[in-house]
Amino acid sequence: MSRMKIEEVKSTTKKQRVAAHSHVKGLGLDERGAAKQVAAGLVGQELAREALGVVVDLVQSKKMAGRAVLLAGPPGTGKTALALAIAQELGPKVPFCPMVGSEVYSTEVKKTEVLMENFRRAIGLRIKETKEVYEGEVLEMTPNETENPMGGYGKTINHVVIGLKTSKGTKQLKLDPAIYESLQKEKVQVGDVIYIESTSGAVKRHGRSDTYATEFDLEAEEYVPLPKGDVHKKKEVIQDVTLHDLDVANARPQGGQDIMSMMGQLLKPKKTEITDKLRKEINKVVNRYIDQGVAELVPGVLFIDEVHMLDIECFTYLHRALESSLSPIVIFATNRGKCTVRGTEIKSPHGMPLDLLDRIMIIRTLPYSQEEIVQILKIRAVIEGIQVQDESFKVLGEIGTKTTLRYAVQLLTPASILARINGREVIAREDVEEINELFYDAKSSAKLLAEQEDKYMK
Ligand SMILES: Nc1ncnc2c1ncn2[C@@H]1O[C@H](COP(=O)(O)OP(=O)(O)OP(=O)(O)O)[C@@H](O)[C@H]1O
Ligand SMILES: [Mg+2]
């Protein structure tokens, strides 16, 4: 493989479990790296936030690759929230790949394969290329339709006429229908600033031309100036991709074109097509690009939540993968104390083998005070659009200290529904108390189980 496919690479960002953490916007540190008590949606937990600030610095200065951090603390102390805060802090150009330990168990894909894929999602590559492009503000976009020559319904598009404008002049282009599809995919409209690569036909939308900046817009739009120079020109294009994106783009479907193999492709997840051989090839090309200065490595963060779910096979693999030259920084999180390492009989702190634990920096998260719990509840109430009386916040805070923060946060929505049933807009003390009687937190449920053990099936 002398040339890698990069034109058609679309970043495959994973969906994150953010709903419960949507108020978290960053680590909330000042210029000197000190944590403000309440900032960026985070409350308290100052030491952990400051430590993670150092981690972010190390990632950004690329001194951290191949190291690992463990966030350790009781349930509901903000480990997952802090990891997502790091992602925000790193910005969109540095890859951040979150996963949960139990994700590795699947009947179709090997455990180490899942880990490998996620490792490669967390390693970015910034590729600089000089490309021939057509760039400008879209003046017109007219698809030219004809009756479908095969008969049947609908029309086919045989070409699309597009007018592009720069500060220097305008140009009208007649383009292939395939490009019309990419224009639609990028949701290009008249008034947008775009470029079209002349070799691949790939379309990229920069944003809306700032001549339209006075337009009333509900969604936040990015306004960009009219491009300078000619419409047709050479342009340095920077593309941020991950190694996993390259794997996917270069994996070729196997088998012939007969129906059976098509079915096979539909049934089989696409990941099985990425082989070790392909990855080695890609690594080779990547390393050459880096040597030639065409590309730059951007090590990101792989976040493995609930790491105690991994077994010894995974840990062995991780240990080795961390030594590789193409490695991200790995952040683990767990709420377990001493427990057995899965797949062995060995008891170990956090359920991780000692030799791996030995090379990890551990950051502790501590339980919150009642006051901090109330502060977090207040932030969540705003986010969820729920009104709460001050007294009810206090009761929820007390419940939170007795149970966990998460339980208290989770009571907000049901309590607001109950308040409405009781004919109130604002959650009152009675609503909180009533809802707390309807549901059980883990601790009281466990207590009840112990008391009534003989009544349950075994
Ligand atoms: N310091 C904080 N500031 C603001 N919100 C927080 C903070 N810590 C936790 N939260 C919020 O409280 C809830 C519980 O926290 P989170 O899920 O991060 O806990 P955890 O430590 O990952 O727990 P577990 O061990 O059970 O996974 C989430 O909604 C989270 O966003
Ligand atoms: Mg968590």
Side-chain angles (χ1 to χ4, degrees):
M1 189 190 310
S2 58
R3 225 185 125 68
M4 245 187 323
K5 258 195 222 168
I6 41 180
E7 276 97 4
E8 56 197 63
V9 172
K10 272 267 156 6
S11 222
T12 49
T13 34
K14 283 175 84 183
K15 290 194 189 71
Q16 299 177 1
R17 311 178 300 163
V18 284
H21 311 281
S22 51
H23 58 288
V24 178
K25 301 281 178 253
L27 286 169
L29 306 174
D30 66 15
E31 319 77 58
R32 287 170 43 245
K36 301 175 207 157
Q37 208 262 328
V38 184
L42 286 181
V43 175
Q45 214 64 268
E46 284 92 346
L47 286 179
R49 279 159 64 198
E50 284 167 16
L52 290 169
V54 176
V55 172
V56 167
D57 282 345
L58 286 169
V59 174
Q60 276 165 350
S61 55
K62 300 184 184 164
K63 289 194 184 115
M64 189 73 191
R67 294 198 216 192
V69 170
L70 171 67
L71 284 166
T77 48
K79 298 177 294 295
T80 307
L82 287 171
L84 295 174
I86 292 195
Q88 307 260 14
E89 211 65 48
L90 288 171
K93 301 284 186 231
V94 181
F96 178 88
C97 173
M99 69 175 284
V100 185
S102 47
E103 249 176 69
V104 300
Y105 302 103
S106 132
T107 49
E108 275 159 42
V109 189
K110 273 201 306 187
K111 287 178 269 191
T112 50
E113 169 61 30
V114 178
L115 285 173
M116 164 78 95
E117 179 183 319
N118 283 297
F119 254 77
R120 291 175 77 82
R121 279 181 196 276
I123 304 167
L125 200 64
R126 172 162 297 177
I127 303 165
K128 276 174 262 156
E129 272 190 313
T130 316
K131 285 184 174 167
E132 216 179 298
V133 298
Y134 295 93
E135 185 180 47
E137 179 190 321
V138 180
L139 294 178
E140 62 163 323
M141 195 167 57
T142 331
N144 187 304
E145 292 172 339
T146 50
E147 295 292 334
N148 194 336
M150 312 287 277
Y153 301 104
K155 294 186 169 164
T156 52
I157 292 170
N158 57 7
H159 65 258
V160 53
V161 174
I162 193 165
L164 290 176
K165 176 182 166 192
T166 65
S167 58
K168 214 169 157 189
T170 61
K171 203 178 180 94
Q172 209 180 35
L173 310 167
K174 193 173 154 187
L175 302 171
D176 195 73
I179 297 180
Y180 187 60
E181 262 170 46
S182 344
L183 285 166
Q184 279 177 320
K185 254 188 227 148
E186 286 276 295
K187 300 198 177 69
V188 174
Q189 288 176 344
V190 170
D192 290 348
V193 175
I194 63 162
Y195 72 74
I196 305 169
E197 277 173 30
S198 53
T199 44
S200 65
V203 174
K204 182 111 192 353
R205 184 178 177 275
H206 287 304
R208 197 120 182 97
S209 167
D210 57 9
T211 39
Y212 291 77
T214 49
E215 236 176 45
F216 180 70
D217 245 328
L218 272 180
E219 267 167 74
E221 257 289 8
E222 200 179 331
Y223 291 99
V224 293
L226 199 64
K228 295 192 183 64
D230 292 316
V231 171
H232 186 197
K233 66 182 153 212
K234 285 208 156 63
K235 180 186 168 72
E236 174 148 293
V237 179
I238 293 176
Q239 213 184 347
D240 288 292
V241 297
T242 67
L243 292 186
H244 175 70
D245 297 335
L246 294 175
D247 292 348
V248 172
N250 289 284
R252 277 183 203 90
Q254 289 159 342
Q257 287 305 314
D258 58 304
I259 297 278
M260 275 321 283
S261 75
M262 291 272 284
M263 288 298 287
Q265 278 169 34
L266 287 180
L267 297 176
K268 247 185 279 162
K270 202 171 175 216
K271 32 180 85 133
T272 50
E273 291 160 12
I274 301 170
T275 57
D276 261 351
K277 189 162 161 263
L278 175 76
R279 287 198 171 115
K280 279 206 188 97
E281 293 273 336
I282 286 183
N283 287 355
K284 240 191 263 165
V285 183
V286 164
N287 282 324
R288 205 174 59 233
Y289 278 13
I290 294 170
D291 287 342
Q292 291 167 352
V294 181
E296 187 191 347
L297 205 63
V298 187
V301 171
L302 170 62
F303 173 55
I304 308 183
D305 210 350
E306 284 153 37
V307 64
H308 51 265
M309 293 301 292
L310 297 180
D311 65 5
I312 187 72
E313 198 185 327
C314 296
F315 284 124
T316 317
Y317 175 84
L318 280 176
H319 203 154
R320 200 154 33 97
L322 278 169
E323 306 280 349
S324 147
S325 62
L326 291 177
S327 172
I329 150 172
V330 182
I331 299 183
F332 300 110
T334 181
N335 56 19
R336 296 302 154 97
K338 219 174 164 81
C339 62
T340 41
V341 180
R342 258 181 106 138
T344 67
E345 318 262 82
I346 306 159
K347 271 203 170 232
S348 173
H350 311 299
M352 296 174 82
L354 280 177
D355 49 352
L356 181 60
L357 213 52
D358 193 39
R359 49 176 299 155
I360 286 176
M361 301 192 289
I362 299 178
I363 298 176
R364 297 214 155 266
T365 55
L366 305 169
Y368 295 108
S369 68
Q370 188 170 326
E371 203 181 318
E372 286 168 329
I373 291 180
V374 170
Q375 283 174 312
I376 294 171
L377 285 165
K378 285 189 173 157
I379 296 176
R380 278 310 296 180
V382 172
I383 286 273
E384 295 184 28
I386 295 172
Q387 285 173 290
V388 189
Q389 280 178 8
D390 264 350
E391 206 193 335
S392 323
F393 269 131
K394 218 180 121 224
V395 181
L396 278 169
E398 277 162 22
I399 295 173
T401 37
K402 275 189 222 122
T403 60
T404 63
L405 167 66
R406 174 169 307 113
Y407 178 69
V409 170
Q410 274 172 352
L411 283 185
L412 274 176
T413 315
S416 79
I417 293 169
L418 197 65
R420 210 160 303 143
I421 294 171
N422 293 338
R424 275 186 284 267
E425 282 296 306
V426 185
I427 298 177
R429 183 191 186 105
E430 297 92 276
D431 302 321
V432 176
E433 279 163 354
E434 197 181 334
I435 207 80
N436 192 34
E437 270 166 33
L438 289 178
F439 293 106
Y440 289 91
D441 63 281
K443 267 184 225 157
S444 41
S445 176
K447 195 162 146 240
L448 205 71
L449 272 183
E451 284 164 12
Q452 311 186 340
E453 211 187 339
D454 51 330
K455 296 209 177 72
Y456 286 85
M457 291 235 286
K458 291 221 175 75

